[in-house]
């Protein structure tokens, strides 16, 4: 753009120079000569009508106006780059690989969402990975997966909670030798004196409490299989949603429905810095499948 408009190259040059505070290093990062850096800066300063950078033989520094310009320009430029990237991705369609983590069971609703997503975006492959019961958010934070389907609640400031779905009645898993094993259902109050297996760290305390309300001391586990093994040994009981209970059924464990507990609910989460067009499109598929 000419005249009084904006020249993106001038803005890029200013941003890099503001980081490096060195014309030579700025030129190296931009793959241009040091003199070209000076030319672009001078053109921007003429367009602005004031000096943005002070240069002496000893140092390069931003003027007060340059500091203010940098503070306001940087987030706007970052968003502009993101807009271009998102539009380019939309123009090309959703491609590549979407890595999905899941807790407990990849049930019919999740598989239905994956199938819908694949039909709409055949150029994007999906990989599904089970994540540990006791680490619902770690895989997303580490970048091992692009998004994860996890048990709620989620109160992590660095994560986005997307579509919520698959609300299911809770059951309590007990040994076939347990006093509850012959019951057709239980009231929540009857669990007050029953040790309930919880998750170990790094699951947050609020998340552990939601899935094993405070009661008598009980073991803590990292995986569902560890928990069910302890249940089978009659060491404690464990709360599980109905589909997970059905999936992990075994002869030495009984799953008894519990009345009066909040339903177990799944939600899709991803990192705030890791939102891509693939993630957004899968979130739409999950939301549509949950309707």
């Amino acid at each position: 753009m000419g005249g009084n408009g904006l020249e993106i190259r001038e803005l890029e040059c200013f941003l890099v120079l503001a980081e490096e505070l060195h014309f030579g290093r700025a030129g190296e990062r931009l793959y241009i000569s040091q003199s070209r850096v000076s030319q672009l800066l001078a053109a921007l300063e003429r367009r602005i009508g004031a000096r943005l950078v002070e240069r002496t033989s000893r140092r390069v520094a931003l003027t007060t106006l340059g500091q203010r310009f940098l503070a306001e320009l940087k987030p706007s430029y970052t968003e502009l780059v993101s807009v271009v990237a998102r539009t380019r991705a939309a123009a090309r369609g959703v491609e590549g690989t979407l890595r999905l983590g899941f807790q407990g069971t990849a049930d019919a609703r999740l598989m239905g969402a994956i199938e819908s997503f694949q039909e709409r975006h055949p150029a994007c492959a999906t990989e599904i990975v089970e994540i540990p019961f006791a680490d619902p958010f770690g895989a997303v934070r580490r970048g091992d997966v692009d998004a994860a389907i996890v048990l709620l609640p989620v109160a992590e400031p660095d994560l986005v909670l997307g579509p919520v779905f698959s609300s299911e009645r809770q059951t309590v898993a007990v040994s076939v030798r347990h006093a509850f094993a012959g019951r057709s259902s239980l009231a929540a109050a009857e669990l007050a004196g029953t040790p309930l297996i919880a998750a170990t760290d790094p699951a947050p305390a609020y998340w552990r409490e939601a899935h094993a309300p405070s009661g008598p001391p009980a073991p803590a586990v990292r995986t569902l299989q560890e928990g069910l093994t302890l249940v089978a040994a009659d060491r404690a009981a464990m709360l599980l949603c109905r589909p997970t209970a059905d999936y992990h059924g075994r002869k030495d464990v009984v799953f008894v429905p519990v009345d009066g507990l909040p339903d177990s609910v799944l939600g899709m989460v991803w990192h705030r810095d890791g939102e891509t067009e693939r993630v957004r499109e899968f979130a739409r598929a999950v939301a549509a499948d949950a309707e």
Side-chain angles (χ1 to χ4, degrees):
M1 302 177 189
N4 294 322
L6 295 175
E7 283 288 350
I8 294 297
R9 194 60 170 164
E10 294 173 5
L11 300 179
E12 291 174 339
C13 180
F14 172 76
L15 288 170
V16 172
L17 184 59
E19 288 184 7
E20 297 291 344
L21 294 177
H22 190 282
F23 280 73
R25 289 196 298 270
E28 290 174 1
R29 280 182 55 182
L30 293 165
Y31 299 100
I32 59 177
S33 66
Q34 184 172 327
S35 61
R36 181 58 179 157
V37 174
S38 298
Q39 292 170 4
L40 290 168
L41 175 63
L44 178 60
E45 290 179 329
R46 286 195 300 271
R47 199 181 302 278
I48 296 285
R51 297 291 296 276
L52 299 173
V53 176
E54 293 286 357
R55 176 167 54 168
T56 69
S57 58
R58 294 185 175 182
R59 72 187 190 103
V60 176
L62 298 181
T63 64
T64 301
L65 182 64
Q67 292 172 353
R68 191 170 72 189
F69 183 55
L70 174 64
E72 296 185 17
L73 172 64
K74 194 169 183 179
S76 300
Y77 179 80
T78 300
E79 177 58 22
L80 176 63
V81 171
S82 297
V83 168
V84 173
R86 291 196 297 268
T87 304
R88 183 187 299 123
R92 291 199 309 261
V94 177
E95 302 175 337
T97 301
L98 178 68
R99 297 164 302 162
L100 297 168
F102 70 93
Q103 257 190 318
T105 306
D107 65 12
R109 294 187 183 184
L110 174 56
M111 298 310 295
I114 291 173
E115 184 177 350
S116 298
F117 174 81
Q118 291 279 206
E119 288 176 355
R120 292 177 60 185
H121 305 289
C124 183
T126 53
E127 295 179 358
I128 55 175
V129 180
E130 185 175 3
I131 56 180
F133 172 67
D135 192 11
F137 312 125
V140 173
R141 287 196 169 114
R142 292 189 300 271
D144 296 341
V145 297
D146 300 303
I149 307 299
V150 299
L151 288 162
L152 301 190
V154 175
E156 307 301 301
D158 59 332
L159 302 184
V160 176
L161 175 59
V164 172
F165 69 113
S166 197
S167 178
E168 298 285 351
R169 186 183 186 187
Q170 295 205 63
T171 71
V172 62
V174 295
S175 163
V176 291
R177 302 185 301 280
H178 195 279
F180 292 156
R183 299 282 297 275
S184 59
S185 66
L186 293 171
E190 295 181 83
L191 294 177
T194 301
L196 293 174
I197 292 171
T200 63
D201 291 333
Y206 73 85
W207 193 92
R208 296 197 301 267
E209 175 69 18
H211 297 286
S214 298
V221 299
R222 180 170 173 79
T223 69
L224 284 175
Q225 289 301 330
E226 289 174 12
L228 288 171
T229 299
L230 291 173
V231 168
D234 206 15
R235 295 274 303 280
M238 189 174 190
L239 289 175
L240 295 173
C241 68
R242 181 79 258 176
T244 300
D246 291 340
Y247 182 81
H248 291 282
R250 45 190 292 173
K251 294 179 179 179
D252 49 2
V253 174
V254 175
F255 299 96
V256 183
V258 181
D259 298 320
L261 288 179
D263 283 353
S264 175
V265 183
L266 294 174
M268 178 180 169
V269 298
W270 60 89
H271 200 279
R272 291 192 182 280
D273 296 334
E275 184 170 321
T276 64
E277 188 63 20
R278 291 188 293 270
V279 169
R280 285 190 289 271
E281 280 298 303
F282 187 74
R284 294 185 186 106
V286 171
D289 196 64
E291 292 175 354

